[in-house]
Amino acid sequence: MLKDAMQKALNEQINAELHSAYLYLSVSAYFESTNLRGFANWMRVQAQEEVDHAMRFYSYVNDRGGVVTLTAIDGPETKWASPLAAFEGALAHERYISGRINDLVGLARKESDYATEEFLQWFVAEQVEEEATADEIVQQLKLIGENPAGLFIMDREMAGRQPGADAAA
Ligand code: OFO
């Protein structure tokens, strides 16, 4: 049985993960509008991964006999100055999410909720990967700078991202 404070925090994380999905879908729409279809695909796949993250929390709360309570999702940004600005925003967002996951682990420890602490380890590892991936793309975009040929090649690479092996358990 989940304690109230843990249940509340996990429900807030469901909202945060769905907000992440909404944000990345918004970035995807921005890339569609600038004819960078490969980047748009990458962000669309990322948005789906975030829904999968939300569903991991959703299933976990239910599995522990808790109650899932869904709340309104904040509207995402809709415009970015450049592909680099969009990915810098994504990297900043992933760092924010990593902070939230760390706070959840801290709460689980405080509540001696070892099952939740164990459950959260998947997200601790995932956030390392999420930050590294976003940072790598930021660095590549910085190298490309204003070079349209570089952006064209990178867009083709980004088109290859497939929906992942990251589906909710
Ligand atoms: Fe991007 O990892 Fe969930 O939010």
Side-chain angles (χ1 to χ4, degrees):
M1 190 73 190
L2 283 171
K3 290 185 182 161
D4 286 349
M6 199 73 245
Q7 175 173 288
K8 181 170 180 289
L10 292 170
N11 269 306
E12 286 168 358
Q13 192 61 25
I14 292 173
N15 184 286
E17 299 292 346
L18 290 173
H19 178 259
S20 298
Y22 212 22
L23 172 63
Y24 293 140
L25 196 57
S26 185
V27 182
S28 182
Y30 155 73
F31 281 127
E32 291 278 0
S33 76
T34 56
N35 295 313
L36 288 167
R37 306 293 299 272
F39 281 90
N41 170 67
W42 195 97
M43 278 293 175
R44 190 171 170 151
V45 172
Q46 186 64 27
Q48 186 57 54
E49 278 201 5
E50 299 298 354
V51 174
D52 293 342
H53 293 174
M55 293 311 294
R56 279 181 185 261
F57 282 100
Y58 178 98
S59 296
Y60 179 74
V61 171
N62 286 323
D63 287 350
R64 291 290 308 282
V67 177
V68 169
T69 307
L70 299 178
T71 52
I73 302 165
D74 288 341
E77 288 178 77
T78 54
K79 288 192 174 79
W80 289 267
S82 65
L84 175 58
F87 269 93
E88 283 177 332
L91 176 57
H93 184 74
E94 288 305 327
R95 287 175 175 157
Y96 161 72
I97 293 293
S98 296
R100 292 188 60 103
I101 297 294
N102 289 342
D103 289 348
L104 285 170
V105 173
L107 180 62
R109 285 186 183 165
K110 183 166 155 274
E111 301 276 343
S112 300
D113 186 343
Y114 304 116
T116 300
E117 187 178 345
E118 171 67 19
F119 164 75
L120 289 168
Q121 292 313 303
W122 185 91
F123 286 94
V124 171
E126 174 72 2
Q127 283 312 118
V128 172
E129 193 183 309
E130 295 269 79
E131 285 191 38
T133 303
D135 190 42
E136 188 183 336
I137 295 169
V138 164
Q139 298 313 321
Q140 286 175 0
L141 286 168
K142 281 183 177 170
L143 277 177
I144 286 170
E146 301 292 311
N147 181 347
L151 200 58
F152 180 76
I153 290 167
M154 195 169 169
D155 190 59
R156 291 181 76 167
E157 284 174 7
M158 301 289 266
R161 185 178 185 189
Q162 303 283 336
D166 186 6

